[in-house]
């Protein structure tokens, strides 16, 4: 999922390392694929769901641009992994399964999409373990105020 560039750099309180985390996870996935297949894999990090005013810079490239680049390079098949999401949702289904998939078809590219981990037992166990041990990142009440207005206290919500 794309974000405004300033937000991805941590200029906005509470959001740090977004781009670096996505780049690291992408590289890790590709390393695992290469290890399992014994083949090197060309890859690119792309983003979906850019919104906001056109004058505000967002993370790029958009998935459509990445598909255009792949087609120009003669790529016949792409595998899309929505790593910014933990569970399947309407945004993935619309942006990737509908819009990007149709764009890939028009370019003559076969596009496959990986499912997010959502109900994979290993993912669920990991989340439970982080919760149970308190070793995960936790958010304290009031640590992420809404920049658009005052936040109601817990008693008022």
């Amino acid at each position: 999922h794309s974000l405004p560039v300033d937000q991805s750099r941590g200029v906005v309180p509470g959001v740090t390392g977004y781009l670096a985390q996505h780049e690291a996870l992408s590289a890790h996935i590709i390393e695992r694929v290469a290890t399992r297949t014994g083949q090197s894999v060309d890859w690119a990090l792309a983003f979906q769901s850019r919104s906001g005013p056109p004058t505000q810079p967002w993370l790029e490239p958009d998935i459509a641009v990445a598909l255009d680049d792949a087609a120009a390079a003669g790529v016949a098949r792409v595998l899309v992994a929505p790593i910014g999401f933990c569970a399947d949702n309407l945004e993935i289904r619309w942006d990737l399964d509908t819009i990007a998939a149709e764009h890939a078809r028009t370019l003559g590219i076969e596009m496959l999409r990986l499912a997010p981990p959502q109900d994979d037992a290993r993912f669920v166990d990991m989340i439970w373990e982080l919760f149970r041990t308190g070793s995960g990142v936790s958010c304290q009440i009031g640590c992420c105020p809404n920049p658009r207005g005052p936040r109601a206290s817990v008693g008022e919500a």
Side-chain angles (χ1 to χ4, degrees), residues 1-144:
H1 195 285
S2 190
L3 284 179
V5 170
D6 284 347
Q7 188 175 3
S8 73
R9 290 184 181 143
V11 175
V12 174
V15 180
T16 58
Y18 186 84
L19 181 57
Q21 290 173 15
H22 280 68
E23 289 170 336
L25 181 55
S26 298
H28 177 74
I29 290 169
I30 295 307
E31 181 182 310
R32 297 276 309 265
V33 169
T35 299
R36 286 186 181 185
T37 65
Q39 299 176 3
S40 65
V41 179
D42 291 328
W43 66 279
L45 179 61
F47 298 91
Q48 70 181 78
S49 301
R50 190 234 187 271
S51 61
T55 55
Q56 183 179 38
W58 280 56
L59 293 174
E60 296 179 340
D62 180 79
I63 183 74
V65 172
L67 289 168
D68 291 340
D69 293 347
V75 172
R77 292 175 44 186
V78 296
L79 178 63
V80 176
I83 62 173
F85 294 92
C86 293
D88 223 345
N89 60 61
L90 183 59
E91 213 167 353
I92 291 173
R93 301 244 177 202
W94 180 252
D95 292 345
L96 299 181
D97 296 351
T98 304
I99 302 301
E102 178 58 31
H103 188 62
R105 273 191 295 280
T106 65
L107 295 169
I109 295 175
E110 178 186 1
M111 184 181 120
L112 304 169
R113 179 184 61 85
L114 294 177
Q118 60 200 18
D119 58 359
D120 183 300
R122 296 166 298 177
F123 177 72
V124 174
D125 289 346
M126 177 199 69
I127 296 298
W128 171 246
E129 186 63 17
L130 290 171
F131 175 76
R132 188 185 65 75
T133 64
S135 60
V137 175
S138 63
C139 190
Q140 302 299 317
I141 293 175
C143 73
C144 303

